[in-house]
Amino acid sequence: MPALEQLVVDIATAMAERTARGRVADYIPELAKVSPAHFGLVVATADGHEVVAGDADTRFSIQSISKLFALVEALSRDADAVWRRVGREPSGSAFNSIVQLEAERGRPRNPFINAGALAVTDLIAQDDDPRAGAGAILRLVRRLAGDDSIAIDSAVAYSEAATGHRNAALAHFMKAEATIDGPVEQTLSTYFHQCAIAMSCRQLARAGRFLVHGGRDPASGEAVISAERARRINALMLTCGHYDASGEFAFRVGLPGKSGVGGGILAIAPGRASIAVWSPGLSAQGNSLLGTEALEMLAHGMGWNVFNPDPAP
Ligand code: GLU
């Protein structure tokens, strides 16, 4: 695909020249140590090619991108329980908003805001071993990426555990409203560990391929989830994957995507490609500034969007 290869080179070159790169998240102290100079991009195409640029193999903290994998794991265990706990509406609020949760009596709007993710993770954390829940999510990610070297960065997990008071507030409030069953500390610990999974863009793009192919992992041929569930997860990523900037992302990029405060974004062009981008500087809403711009250039250049797909150039 020469057009795609040239486009990816052009995007990486343009991003390297940017001086306004956003702000690295510093509310989790370990994340503040990451240089905003990084940029990585990997496009894993439906026909099995990987087009890469920049820091494609440098591992970063996937943070909220883990909410996607936690949702897949929880839906596989008990989909009815997931949808009893969380809704499917965009929040229009910040990722860690408390006010909306109280107004709506402890039922989070969707599984991708922090409150919703904590409620989903609580379903996975129900186990005697406090490490089991994050371990199950890690095993899923390793299987999807075909890479057993993927691991949890415990320094990041401890750093967030020491400072994650807003998440603790959300979890305690949901426990009071019976949205969360388990011991709050166990749910929080599982959540902080899943967020601390470290992956490169190459690993992340591989882990997203099942959403390109209607739920089927192209590497193994295995149906990870049904085609209907894959469609619905893509819908949630489009409407809720970027918090209160989800509308803006749909407007600019037009693809389902999930961001994390580590600066990564996983975007899916159904039937075309799984795309992972990483640039640690964030916008005011907590999404990668250059990552979003790079995806906009890529989606536009390739005619990849879910609303009005154009033929590839
Ligand atoms: N662990 C982060 C938090 O809960 C994830 C947020 C994000 O990546 O958007 O604050």
Side-chain angles (χ1 to χ4, degrees):
M1 273 199 188
L4 175 60
E5 276 153 23
Q6 186 58 50
L7 182 57
V8 164
V9 170
D10 291 349
I11 292 169
T13 305
M15 294 304 115
E17 286 165 5
R18 290 285 186 279
T19 49
R21 306 183 75 86
R23 277 197 53 181
V24 174
D26 56 6
Y27 75 100
I28 300 172
E30 272 300 303
L31 297 185
K33 297 178 181 170
V34 181
S35 164
H38 288 293
F39 177 84
L41 175 61
V42 172
V43 183
T45 63
D47 58 6
H49 291 95
E50 286 177 358
V51 183
V52 315
D55 303 316
D57 292 303
T58 308
R59 296 182 193 215
F60 60 91
S61 195
I62 67 167
Q63 290 297 317
S64 282
I65 303 169
S66 70
K67 294 169 179 171
L68 167 67
F69 302 113
L71 178 64
V72 170
E73 178 69 22
L75 287 171
S76 304
R77 293 184 186 200
D78 189 345
D80 291 342
V82 170
W83 301 126
R84 274 196 303 274
R85 288 180 175 211
V86 301
R88 302 185 281 255
E89 291 297 337
S91 69
S93 301
F95 68 100
N96 55 6
S97 172
I98 295 174
V99 66
Q100 188 174 57
L101 189 65
E102 181 169 22
E104 298 181 1
R105 293 211 203 86
R107 187 169 195 270
R109 280 278 179 101
N110 67 67
F112 291 154
I113 51 173
N114 283 16
L118 286 161
V120 167
T121 292
D122 180 63
L123 288 168
I124 300 167
Q126 300 305 303
D127 202 299
D128 289 342
D129 180 350
R131 292 160 306 180
I137 299 166
L138 179 63
R139 273 195 301 283
L140 172 66
V141 167
R142 284 177 170 177
R143 180 159 65 94
L144 293 173
D147 189 337
D148 283 344
S149 75
I150 297 169
I152 292 171
D153 182 337
S154 44
V156 172
Y158 293 141
S159 179
E160 187 169 13
T163 55
H165 304 298
R166 284 188 80 93
N167 285 321
L170 292 167
H172 280 286
F173 183 74
M174 287 190 287
K175 178 79 177 175
E177 296 289 324
T179 307
I180 278 183
D181 289 334
V184 169
E185 295 313 323
Q186 183 169 315
T187 302
L188 283 169
S189 174
T190 305
Y191 174 76
F192 295 145
H193 280 83
Q194 75 179 56
C195 287
I197 293 173
M199 293 171 80
S200 67
C201 285
R202 193 189 301 271
Q203 292 166 329
L204 191 57
R206 288 180 182 171
R209 289 172 301 187
F210 72 107
L211 291 172
V212 177
H213 299 273
R216 188 170 292 277
D217 178 353
S220 65
E222 169 204 10
V224 180
I225 51 174
S226 68
E228 180 179 66
R229 189 164 285 168
R231 175 177 61 73
R232 290 175 164 176
I233 289 176
N234 281 338
L236 283 169
M237 288 170 75
L238 185 84
T239 53
C240 311
H242 282 73
Y243 310 118
D244 46 343
S246 297
E248 182 72 9
F249 187 83
F251 184 87
R252 287 175 59 188
V253 180
L255 294 173
K258 183 72 203 88
S259 70
V261 291
I265 303 174
L266 174 63
I268 304 297
R272 303 280 201 162
S274 170
I275 307 149
V277 64
W278 174 50
S279 177
L282 306 179
S283 67
Q285 288 92 357
N287 304 304
S288 175
L289 193 72
L290 298 192
T292 306
E293 193 181 341
L295 287 170
E296 186 176 16
M297 288 173 73
L298 181 71
H300 188 254
M302 294 304 292
W304 288 346
N305 70 79
V306 295
F307 300 106
N308 186 23
D310 301 323

